[in-house]
Amino acid sequence: MKIPDNIAAEFGVALNEASFLGAEYDARRNIVGLTFSVLTLPDGDSPEPADARRQIILTNIGRIAAALREAFWNDTTAKTIPFSVSELLDVVQSFGGQPVYGWQFINNDDKTLDQWNRRLSLDIKVESGSQENRIMLFQEGSTVSRHLDLWIWFEGMFIRDAAGNTIEMADFAAGGRRWWDALHAGDSRTNGHGIATGGKNSE
């Protein structure tokens, strides 16, 4: 089932500026696990959680594609560097957990894939999988010109906290919304977080 636009939008708010820590494909179960450290606040006046890692599990994968290159994000002439799906975790982790930003990640109108579709670093398709939904993620080198674009097509998703407990989508979204509302209100609980400016998909 296609994820409704309002749910995709709320998910984007909760994931914005999250540090992208890892991505792994389990071919046997045909799932992808994505790990982030997110910006979130609990209801009330409590501080940020001590461990803000969240795992997003994407189910019934239909395709995984990526474009890795030693260049700035907007250099469309750059050569892509091939890698296998078994190397996906190492590639993502090699960026050191850089933030993803742009507010829209699921079923967005990003046209980046059109630029790289004929020269991808990784492109696997699962005939029995689903291409109903797509998430688009990226990593930018913090000290060198290096970039990764990653697209994953899937059917459904669920979210876990660092202890492995399932988090409802509404609660995940609400935690992110509270954090951004607190930032805009000058809440001291959001101090110490740098907000991305410039670069790919920034606003």
Side-chain angles (χ1 to χ4, degrees):
M1 184 177 114
K2 186 169 184 179
I3 294 174
D5 291 344
N6 63 317
I7 299 299
E10 287 298 307
F11 176 88
V13 172
L15 199 63
N16 189 39
E17 292 284 352
S19 299
F20 189 15
L21 304 179
E24 292 184 87
Y25 176 54
D26 183 336
R28 184 179 63 83
R29 294 187 290 170
N30 195 29
I31 62 174
V32 167
L34 304 170
T35 305
F36 299 89
S37 180
V38 302
L39 301 176
T40 186
L41 283 173
D43 201 6
D45 297 324
S46 298
E48 292 181 284
D51 193 338
R53 286 176 298 167
R54 301 291 183 264
Q55 186 177 46
I56 298 169
I57 306 296
L58 307 178
T59 63
N60 197 20
I61 302 302
R63 183 184 179 191
I64 303 172
L68 173 66
R69 59 265 189 199
E70 301 287 346
F72 288 111
W73 67 272
N74 57 353
D75 183 355
T76 58
T77 66
K79 293 182 178 180
T80 53
I81 303 169
F83 65 89
S84 67
V85 72
S86 64
E87 298 174 295
L88 178 59
L89 177 61
D90 289 338
V91 168
V92 171
Q93 290 183 335
S94 72
F95 285 85
Q98 298 303 306
V100 295
Y101 45 86
W103 302 96
Q104 297 177 351
F105 303 96
I106 294 178
N107 301 333
N108 61 15
D109 293 327
D110 184 87
K111 304 299 184 185
T112 309
L113 181 61
D114 296 340
Q115 300 170 350
W116 302 102
N117 210 16
R118 294 182 179 274
R119 46 198 175 110
L120 291 165
S121 303
L122 168 70
D123 191 10
I124 63 169
K125 298 176 182 177
V126 183
E127 290 186 6
S128 60
S130 172
Q131 296 196 19
E132 190 75 21
N133 299 292
R134 187 188 78 180
I135 188 169
M136 192 275 180
L137 301 165
F138 64 90
Q139 286 284 269
E140 289 182 316
S142 59
T143 59
V144 296
S145 303
R146 190 164 178 259
H147 194 88
L148 171 71
D149 285 315
L150 175 64
W151 303 269
I152 305 170
W153 289 257
F154 64 98
E155 181 175 0
M157 68 163 61
F158 59 94
I159 304 167
R160 292 173 175 161
D161 64 16
N165 302 309
T166 299
I167 301 175
E168 296 297 328
M169 178 66 77
D171 293 333
F172 178 69
R177 177 66 68 185
R178 280 193 293 268
W179 194 95
W180 285 101
D181 286 347
L183 175 70
H184 296 145
D187 192 316
S188 62
R189 292 177 296 173
T190 63
N191 291 347
H193 292 280
I195 302 303
T197 59
K200 180 183 177 68
N201 291 337
S202 64
E203 291 187 1

